[in-house]
Amino acid sequence: MLDEIPPEVLTSVLLLCNSEQVSRVSLVNRALRAATRSETLWAALYLKEFNELGFEHIEHEEPERTCRERFMARKKVCNLVEEQLRSMAWPTKRSECLATLCAMHGPSANPETSQWAWSHIRECMSSPHIGNNFFGNVAFGNILQYRNLESMRECLLQKQLADDALGETTQRPYETTHRARIELVEEGACRISCMVDCDDMVSDDEFKTAFDSIAGEVTRRLSLDPEARAAARMADEQNSEQDYRPALRVLNDFLYSPPPPNNDSSDLCESLLHDQEMPTTGGLGIAGNRENYYSPGNSSISQLLKSRKGIPITLAVLQCCVGMRCGVPVEMVGVPCQFMTKVGTDSSPYECFSDNFDGGTLLTRPNVVTMLGTMHVDYHPHLLQPISETDVLLRMCRNLMNIYNGLPCNKEQLLRVLDMALVLQPENLFMRQLRGRVGLAREEFDLVINDNELQKDEEGQAMVQSAVELKAQYEKAVAVQQRRPRAVTMQVTGHAFAPGDPEHREPLFHVGMVVTHMRHNFIGVVYRWEPKYSSNLEWNFRLEAQEMDTWKQQPFYTLLVHDDSVARDASFTSTCVAEDTIRRMMPGEFGPVGHPKLAEHFIGFDEDSGCFVPNEYLRYRYPDDLTSQGPSGLSRLTPLLSSVTATDDGAAPDTARSSSSLTHDCMRMYIS
């Protein structure tokens, strides 16, 4: 009977199904199987499933592969991405999953596969599925970092190959070497900017467009300036060193002078990032950011172009990139505490320094020596020597390392900066060990174990061994806790004891419960518990240190602290509390609970029980928590708010106190 139905009719009916339903229909009989092989059907299904990602119609794009084969290949990539995102709920698997996703975007990966994976990750970031949403953002940030590091490695490799090809004895014109160095600084500064502003990135083309537009106006003004023209003409006629001081003055006037009175500030900011007409009078009004000097955004070129404010080193990078395009060879000088630029050589009568943070003030060498004295820095001639391009980028990374260390709980960004710094200087053992300590504090054991460079000294070997042991203990604790029986009956108030163990009480609270501290009145969500105090537990000594001896034999809970409490103390985002100090809050006692990492551990909120529903990993680790006074079901499951699922730049890592303290001491030593 099905054989009598026209194929067009079957195809129209099948178009009402999704791809999984079509695959099941193909198993019914031969007639339906033939109908499900229609290229028209699979082309429509492809567009129906993936067109929302913005791809064009793919029919006839690859004649050697049918639409069905292309659909299945892309679906396989999407399923692999989702499988990795689900597995990231397991902390010990997270590094492996991120490595798999990054490999899909590596230089050896299939470009089409990389594009599909990237598009699906972007889709997961806006998915209503809370786990895909949170871990999609985590994967997005890590893949961007992976791409930044690969781009930086490629630039360094190309420079090394060019230097090797020319040989040490080959003399290249100064203009050629200067341009190559500034181009590397520009590329590295763009990579650092993308690392800092991963949520609001500016493309490389936008950077280059902004630099070209600014340089175009500076070049026009140079052609009209009589002093700059006279200096260039004299150098050509006498075949001597050119005096670039007039050109530097014109460049600084345009960068740092106030904008014309009739120029709207928002239009001016827009013109720095897009190909719009530059002001023909006045300047851009770029200045040093004195009000918010220690903001991470000051180390980002994109933020400098948006806000027209920065710190000395980013102002210097902008000046050098524009000067290179205008034919003004500006060199960077790593003066302590005040990064500067200069034109002219040390012995030249035309040597001139530029204090870009002070509005581009031009200084002579004696002026700079006097300034160093006011900052209590002993003068030495090497302090005013131009520094290499890698030293410039390393200094930008060190600035960010110091800033992120000063901000509470920003170890994820600190790790990214350390990764970039180690690309620039892989032999720096101190930064590598610091990266290992931060990784241990964040329980990213594979990051330490897989770092072969740490094996080159005794301290690094001890760190790797510690990571191996901690990972084994972590996995063992999860396995033991997964098999641990709980009391058959438990109450929200009072005490229950584990069978056969009168000294250790059975936990009264479970993962996902909302509790309040009876002494300090903060609200938190339980996401871990242990039957008794352990030295591996994170501990907030400000809260209960005085009763420590009497509380060691009772269960301890690790809480994600509600945002209102965090607002009072930015470093107080996670803490460990004893059972006797908290009580459960019943539905109706509390309003919406907020924490940046709720979405990492829970998939939603159960309104009937007033508890958060744990993710797959926590359900595996605490299997009885869902059956003992836990969430009654998922019938009234409320997804977490989008503000809660956003990636977090300021949440505390769920770390052991001992590792955290070790990292803090190391960072303090590094800054000094």
Side-chain angles (χ1 to χ4, degrees), residues 277-580:
E277 185 177 355
M278 289 285 122
T280 56
T281 60
L284 297 179
I286 297 173
N289 192 346
R290 301 180 185 274
E291 296 80 13
N292 196 13
Y293 188 88
Y294 295 101
S295 168
N298 285 331
S299 296
S300 166
I301 294 296
S302 64
Q303 290 298 323
L304 170 61
L305 294 173
K306 291 176 183 177
S307 66
R308 294 176 289 148
K309 290 186 177 182
I311 54 177
I313 193 167
T314 48
L315 295 172
V317 169
L318 174 63
Q319 184 194 51
C320 289
C321 292
V322 174
M324 174 193 69
R325 289 166 166 80
C326 301
V328 183
V330 183
E331 294 282 4
M332 285 178 266
V333 182
V335 178
C337 307
Q338 188 82 343
F339 201 91
M340 303 179 73
T341 54
K342 63 175 283 189
V343 293
T345 60
D346 297 345
S347 58
S348 170
Y350 307 134
E351 183 186 45
C352 181
F353 295 84
S354 174
D355 186 356
N356 302 294
F357 194 72
D358 192 31
T361 303
L362 300 184
L363 305 171
T364 62
R365 181 173 287 259
N367 296 146
V368 177
V369 173
T370 302
M371 185 184 70
L372 290 176
T374 61
M375 296 187 294
H376 307 288
V377 176
D378 294 333
Y379 168 73
H380 192 279
H382 79 272
L383 294 178
L384 303 186
Q385 292 288 333
I387 62 175
S388 69
E389 58 277 12
T390 53
D391 287 339
V392 174
L393 299 176
L394 276 172
R395 184 154 171 173
M396 295 180 73
C397 289
R398 290 192 184 101
N399 286 341
L400 285 169
M401 288 164 59
N402 295 341
I403 292 171
Y404 286 133
N405 174 68
L407 295 176
C409 313
N410 223 318
K411 297 301 181 283
E412 181 179 356
Q413 283 288 67
L414 178 59
L415 271 179
R416 293 182 180 180
V417 176
L418 284 167
D419 285 337
M420 180 64 74
L422 286 170
V423 169
L424 297 167
Q425 196 176 39
E427 69 279 2
N428 191 315
L429 190 58
F430 179 80
M431 286 195 295
R432 194 169 294 278
Q433 291 175 352
L434 177 58
R435 177 176 176 269
R437 290 188 178 90
V438 178
L440 284 178
R442 287 175 50 84
E443 297 181 353
E444 296 188 22
F445 306 123
D446 289 337
L447 181 145
V448 181
I449 295 171
N450 297 331
D451 192 345
N452 296 326
E453 295 296 323
L454 280 175
Q455 301 281 1
K456 292 185 177 180
D457 76 322
E458 293 183 1
E459 185 176 352
Q461 293 172 5
M463 193 181 302
V464 173
Q465 182 62 29
S466 175
V468 172
E469 293 174 357
L470 286 173
K471 182 178 180 180
Q473 292 175 10
Y474 189 95
E475 292 174 341
K476 181 179 179 181
V478 172
V480 170
Q481 199 157 19
Q482 203 271 338
R483 297 192 299 268
R484 179 185 292 125
R486 293 186 63 129
V488 177
T489 58
M490 295 178 60
Q491 300 178 3
V492 174
T493 59
H495 298 304
F497 295 88
D501 188 2
E503 294 184 359
H504 297 151
R505 297 184 297 203
E506 187 69 17
L508 298 179
F509 310 105
H510 66 70
V511 170
M513 276 187 176
V514 180
V515 298
T516 183
H517 198 279
M518 292 185 288
R519 178 183 302 173
H520 300 283
N521 298 321
F522 64 80
I523 299 174
V525 181
V526 178
Y527 77 102
R528 287 183 183 177
W529 58 262
E530 296 288 344
K532 63 178 181 178
Y533 175 76
S534 167
S535 60
N536 291 330
L537 282 173
E538 178 183 356
W539 179 255
N540 194 317
F541 288 96
R542 295 175 300 173
L543 299 184
E544 297 108 355
Q546 62 273 22
E547 291 93 351
M548 196 61 205
D549 292 336
T550 60
W551 286 351
K552 282 188 176 181
Q553 303 304 320
Q554 62 178 290
F556 273 72
Y557 303 86
T558 308
L559 310 179
L560 296 176
V561 181
H562 175 46
D563 281 344
D564 284 351
S565 303
V566 176
R568 296 193 294 268
D569 184 351
S571 64
F572 188 51
T573 58
S574 174
T575 189
C576 187
V577 295
E579 186 172 86
D580 285 348

Side-chain angles (χ1 to χ4, degrees), residues 44-56 58 70-76 78 116 119-120 123:
L45 288 175
Y46 189 98
L47 292 174
K48 179 180 179 181
E49 183 122 1
F50 303 119
N51 190 49
E52 61 186 281
L53 303 179
F55 289 101
E56 298 294 332
I58 50 83
R70 184 179 173 87
F71 182 96
M72 293 301 180
R74 181 162 185 172
K75 194 69 176 176
K76 183 178 180 180
C78 295
W116 289 345
S119 299
H120 195 63
E123 182 185 16

Side-chain angles (χ1 to χ4, degrees), residues 82-370:
E82 292 191 10
E83 179 185 351
Q84 299 302 317
L85 294 181
R86 287 194 300 270
S87 298
M88 284 171 63
W90 270 258
T92 53
K93 295 182 180 180
R94 194 167 301 173
S95 295
E96 179 183 350
C97 295
L98 289 173
T100 300
L101 292 173
C102 288
M104 297 173 69
H105 298 80
S108 60
N110 184 296
E112 186 179 54
T113 300
S114 298
Q115 184 184 24
W116 289 345
W118 180 254
S119 299
H120 195 63
I121 289 173
R122 296 298 299 268
E123 182 185 16
C124 289
M125 290 170 61
S126 58
S127 168
H129 186 280
I130 207 67
N132 281 359
N133 186 303
F134 180 85
F135 291 113
N137 279 279
V138 173
F140 176 77
N142 277 269
I143 292 170
L144 284 180
Q145 173 71 354
Y146 175 79
R147 288 178 168 180
N148 275 336
L149 297 179
E150 288 299 313
S151 297
M152 196 69 250
R153 288 192 185 96
E154 181 66 23
C155 290
L156 293 173
L157 178 61
Q158 293 298 329
K159 179 180 180 296
Q160 184 64 42
L161 291 175
D163 292 343
D164 293 344
L166 290 170
E168 297 181 357
T169 59
T170 303
Q171 296 296 324
R172 289 182 290 173
Y174 171 77
E175 292 77 8
T176 303
T177 58
H178 178 266
R179 173 172 288 274
R181 288 189 290 107
I182 299 302
E183 285 176 348
L184 180 58
V185 169
E186 180 179 324
E187 178 66 23
C190 292
R191 300 283 68 77
I192 292 174
S193 180
C194 291
M195 178 178 64
V196 175
D197 302 319
C198 58
D199 295 330
D200 186 22
M201 290 191 307
V202 176
S203 68
D204 292 354
D205 290 339
E206 289 179 290
F207 281 121
K208 290 179 171 55
T209 298
F211 293 150
D212 291 342
S213 298
I214 297 173
E217 176 59 23
V218 174
T219 302
R220 187 190 70 82
R221 296 190 181 197
L222 285 173
S223 66
L224 300 176
D225 187 82
E227 293 184 14
R229 293 169 58 188
R233 184 171 59 253
M234 181 181 298
D236 290 339
E237 293 174 353
Q238 300 179 3
N239 193 24
S240 59
E241 178 185 358
Q242 181 174 340
D243 182 5
Y244 285 104
R245 290 176 297 180
L248 182 61
R249 174 184 51 78
V250 173
L251 172 60
N252 285 359
D253 284 346
F254 181 63
L255 291 177
Y256 306 121
S257 294
N262 60 344
N263 198 306
D264 183 68
S265 177
S266 62
D267 292 341
L268 184 60
C269 290
E270 186 76 10
S271 70
L272 295 180
L273 284 174
H274 298 87
D275 189 14
Q276 296 188 13
E277 185 177 355
M278 289 285 122
T280 56
T281 60
L284 297 179
I286 297 173
N289 192 346
R290 301 180 185 274
E291 296 80 13
N292 196 13
Y293 188 88
Y294 295 101
S295 168
N298 285 331
S299 296
S300 166
I301 294 296
S302 64
Q303 290 298 323
L304 170 61
L305 294 173
K306 291 176 183 177
S307 66
R308 294 176 289 148
K309 290 186 177 182
I311 54 177
I313 193 167
T314 48
L315 295 172
V317 169
L318 174 63
Q319 184 194 51
C320 289
C321 292
V322 174
M324 174 193 69
R325 289 166 166 80
C326 301
V328 183
V330 183
E331 294 282 4
M332 285 178 266
V333 182
V335 178
C337 307
Q338 188 82 343
F339 201 91
M340 303 179 73
T341 54
K342 63 175 283 189
V343 293
T345 60
D346 297 345
S347 58
S348 170
Y350 307 134
E351 183 186 45
C352 181
F353 295 84
S354 174
D355 186 356
N356 302 294
F357 194 72
D358 192 31
T361 303
L362 300 184
L363 305 171
T364 62
R365 181 173 287 259
N367 296 146
V368 177
V369 173
T370 302

Side-chain angles (χ1 to χ4, degrees), residues 486 509-512 529 614 618 622-631:
R486 293 186 63 129
F509 310 105
H510 66 70
V511 170
W529 58 262
L618 290 180
Y622 305 97
D624 295 327
D625 279 18
L626 288 179
T627 59
S628 302
Q629 299 291 335

